């Protein structure tokens, strides 16, 4: 398992980041190995009946990175290119993210290799339920807790919760987070990742002396995270000049009507055919002159190829792993782009997932305002700690965030010792 992960480019990317951080922390070799490789990496076959009666086999994955500080936690991705190595990298990043913001979780991530847009709702339901059925021996509210990620959503979490609860013989809302509010979901969870991104971006911009009215933002990816970040930032007074999805990118230097784009996207599934802005390519969007560039889709979109050409002042990583190692080096050398790294930038999602899990366990639900207040104060604390670490070690903001997260997990492993 370990050697096969090493052939994955995304897993290698996560490992190279880890090794750089581990060097800065002077971690001993044996501890490095224990921290780097996942505790469990599962691959499952899912035979599912299609609407036309045929049976098709789908491939699903779940990686639980470490179990040192509590259950593992992380999303479930539906995408035709998802593979075990990518899921293992995403699980590792979840570990550092949870530790950085102080959640009692290890990281996890799952994936099913298919395109949900190419299937009926009934087929997506059967694929989702079959995956949870296969996962039942390996998950639980105290073992591993799933949540939405790219391609999945609250309805998928409702099917997951129902499948697990049927097996348990009673409702187990804490088995997943990101559920609809009616069945134990948390107020504020749907918008938490994007709202958290918008909040952190605002805090960094204000810290650098910007007025929100002067700020222009380009967002790559207009799914849940990208669109909520757009709504949040335009609510703060920023101008959203470009957005994109699978159909391409849309640009209006005088500002896009983000509500209108969202309505169109909901109605037509994609922005294809939307005439609210000039059509450009996704590559052009990434290189636009803007105050803030927000990649909010998949990994490795800022690469050695385009890193020297991006023209933003702030790169806010709403996606996980959007910047390749080589691009990271180029941006560090350039020194004129402030990177808000993924493990900090998009942590709002898993923070409110944690609130949801706590509320489910207590069967006591909190008000929306209280949730946002608690979310923002955790983000402020994490941001402050990252800035202090950056100063103390004299490193990039990404290395500051990663060394903080990794050192907390390393310390927990040392304290618990090796069993037996
Ligand atoms: N998929 C989200 C992430 O990458 C959320 C995970 C969760 O809420 O558990 O952070």
């Amino acid at each position: 398992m370990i050697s096969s992960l090493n052939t994955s480019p995304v897993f290698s990317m996560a490992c190279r980041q880890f090794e750089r951080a581990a060097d800065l922390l002077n971690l001993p070799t044996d501890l490095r190995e224990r921290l780097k490789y996942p505790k469990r990496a599962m691959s499952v076959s899912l035979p599912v009946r299609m609407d036309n009666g045929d049976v098709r086999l789908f491939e699903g994955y779940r990686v639980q990175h470490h179990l040192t500080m509590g259950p593992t936690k992380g999303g479930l991705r539906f995408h035709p290119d998802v593979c075990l190595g990518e899921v293992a990298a995403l699980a590792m990043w979840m570990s550092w993210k949870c530790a950085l913001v102080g959640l009692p979780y290890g990281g996890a991530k799952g994936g099913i290799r298919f395109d949900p847009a190419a299937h009926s709702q009934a087929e997506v339901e059967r694929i989702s339920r079959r995956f949870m059925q296969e996962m039942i021996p390996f998950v639980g509210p105290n073992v591993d807790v799933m949540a939405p990620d790219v391609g999945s959503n609250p309805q998928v979490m409702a099917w997951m919760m129902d499948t697990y609860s049927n097996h348990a013989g009673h409702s187990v809302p804490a088995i997943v987070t990101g559920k609809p509010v009616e069945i134990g979901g948390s107020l504020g969870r749907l918008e938490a990742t994007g709202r958290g991104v918008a909040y952190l971006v605002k805090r960094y911009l204000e810290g650098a002396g910007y007025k929100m009215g002067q700020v222009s933002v380009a967002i790559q990816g207009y799914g849940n995270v990208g669109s909520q970040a757009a709504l949040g930032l335009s609510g703060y007074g920023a101008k959203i000049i470009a957005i994109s999805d699978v159909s391409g990118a849309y640009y209006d230097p005088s500002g896009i009507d983000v509500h209108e784009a969202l309505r169109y996207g909901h109605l037509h599934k994609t922005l294809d055919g939307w005439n609210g802005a000039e059509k450009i390519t996704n590559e052009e969007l990434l290189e636009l002159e803007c105050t803030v560039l927000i990649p909010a889709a998949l990994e490795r979109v800022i690469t050695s190829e385009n890193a020297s050409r991006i023209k933003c002042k702030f790169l806010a990583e709403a996606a996980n792993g959007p910047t390749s190692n080589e691009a990271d080096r180029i941006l560090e050398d350039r020194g004129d782009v402030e990177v808000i790294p993924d493990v900090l930038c998009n942590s709002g999602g898993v923070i409110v997932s944690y609130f949801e899990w706590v509320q489910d366990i207590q069967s006591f639900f909190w008000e929306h305002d209280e949730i946002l207040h608690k979310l923002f104060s955790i983000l402020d604390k994490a941001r402050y700690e990252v800035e202090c670490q950056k100063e103390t070690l004299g490193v990039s903001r990404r290395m500051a965030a990663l060394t903080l997260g990794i050192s907390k997990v390393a310390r927990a492993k040392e304290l618990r010792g090796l069993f037996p």
Side-chain angles (χ1 to χ4, degrees), residues 102-413:
L103 309 182
Y105 292 139
K109 195 70 111 191
I112 307 180
R113 201 177 163 87
F114 82 113
D115 176 8
H119 290 269
S120 69
Q121 170 98 336
E123 288 178 352
V124 175
E125 176 173 354
R126 288 196 292 275
I127 296 167
S128 304
R129 286 185 182 278
R130 182 66 200 223
F131 179 75
M132 177 49 99
Q133 178 63 43
E134 297 297 339
M135 283 293 124
I136 281 174
F138 310 107
V139 296
N142 294 313
V143 182
D144 181 20
V145 181
M146 294 180 202
D149 195 80
V150 176
S152 63
N153 55 40
Q155 177 60 70
V156 170
M157 292 303 120
W159 294 325
M160 296 297 187
M161 179 265 200
D162 182 69
T163 306
Y164 189 87
S165 298
N166 272 301
H167 162 80
H170 55 90
S171 273
V172 189
I175 183 61
V176 291
T177 61
K179 302 174 291 297
V181 172
E182 295 84 342
I183 53 167
S186 176
L187 294 172
R189 175 61 186 90
L190 191 65
E191 63 271 30
T193 314
R195 282 297 297 269
V197 170
Y199 180 76
L200 280 170
V201 166
K202 176 168 90 81
R203 299 287 283 150
Y204 273 105
L205 287 166
E206 286 170 350
Y210 284 87
K211 297 261 173 300
M212 289 307 286
Q214 313 165 321
V215 168
S216 59
V217 184
I219 305 180
Q220 186 238 6
Y222 211 58
N224 178 42
V225 176
S227 60
Q228 290 296 339
L231 294 177
L233 281 165
S234 72
Y236 291 139
K239 193 161 66 178
I240 313 300
I241 60 164
I243 58 174
S244 75
D245 71 1
V246 282
S247 68
Y250 303 81
Y251 172 56
D252 183 347
S254 64
I256 280 172
D257 182 340
V258 288
H259 292 277
E260 183 48 38
L262 196 59
R263 256 194 305 276
Y264 187 95
H266 278 317
L267 209 62
H268 301 270
K269 289 199 170 167
T270 73
L271 292 169
D272 200 15
W274 186 54
N275 54 18
E278 181 197 338
K279 190 97 187 266
I280 58 171
T281 65
N282 254 300
E283 293 71 34
E284 284 169 331
L285 178 147
L286 295 171
E287 295 175 23
L288 282 177
E289 185 125 24
C290 57
T291 323
V292 188
L293 173 64
I294 307 185
L298 298 172
E299 303 88 59
R300 300 196 305 154
V301 291
I302 315 286
T303 61
S304 55
E305 173 52 33
N306 60 9
S308 57
R309 294 198 300 269
I310 68 169
K311 295 179 197 72
C312 57
K313 304 278 181 280
F314 288 82
L315 176 66
E317 296 185 333
N320 292 304
T323 310
S324 74
N325 305 120
E326 298 76 17
D328 228 9
R329 290 280 190 186
I330 294 171
L331 294 178
E332 271 178 47
D333 290 346
R334 276 180 54 173
D336 58 347
V337 178
E338 295 291 332
V339 178
I340 310 175
D342 49 4
V343 288
L344 173 65
C345 190
N346 69 34
S347 61
V350 73
I351 294 170
V352 179
S353 274
Y354 167 63
F355 296 162
E356 180 172 333
W357 180 73
V358 169
Q359 291 171 83
D360 287 338
I361 290 170
Q362 298 183 335
S363 295
F364 178 66
F365 292 86
W366 314 342
E367 298 293 334
H368 195 243
D369 282 355
E370 186 183 354
I371 287 164
L372 285 186
H373 176 76
K374 285 190 160 79
L375 166 65
F376 294 159
S377 69
I378 292 180
L379 291 177
D380 278 331
K381 179 165 177 275
R383 171 175 175 258
Y384 174 75
E385 287 172 359
V386 167
E387 293 311 302
C388 291
Q389 180 86 339
K390 181 172 174 288
E391 283 302 306
T392 314
L393 297 186
V395 293
S396 69
R397 193 169 288 110
R398 184 186 314 287
M399 278 303 125
L402 288 175
T403 50
L404 278 174
I406 292 168
S407 60
K408 289 191 199 178
V409 184
R411 181 75 187 127
K413 282 200 185 287

Side-chain angles (χ1 to χ4, degrees), residues 1-9 11-12 37 41 83-86 88:
M1 178 266 281
I2 287 178
S3 52
S4 68
L5 288 180
N6 282 334
T7 60
S8 151
F11 188 71
S12 305
Y37 291 108
C83 63
L84 191 63
E86 179 188 19

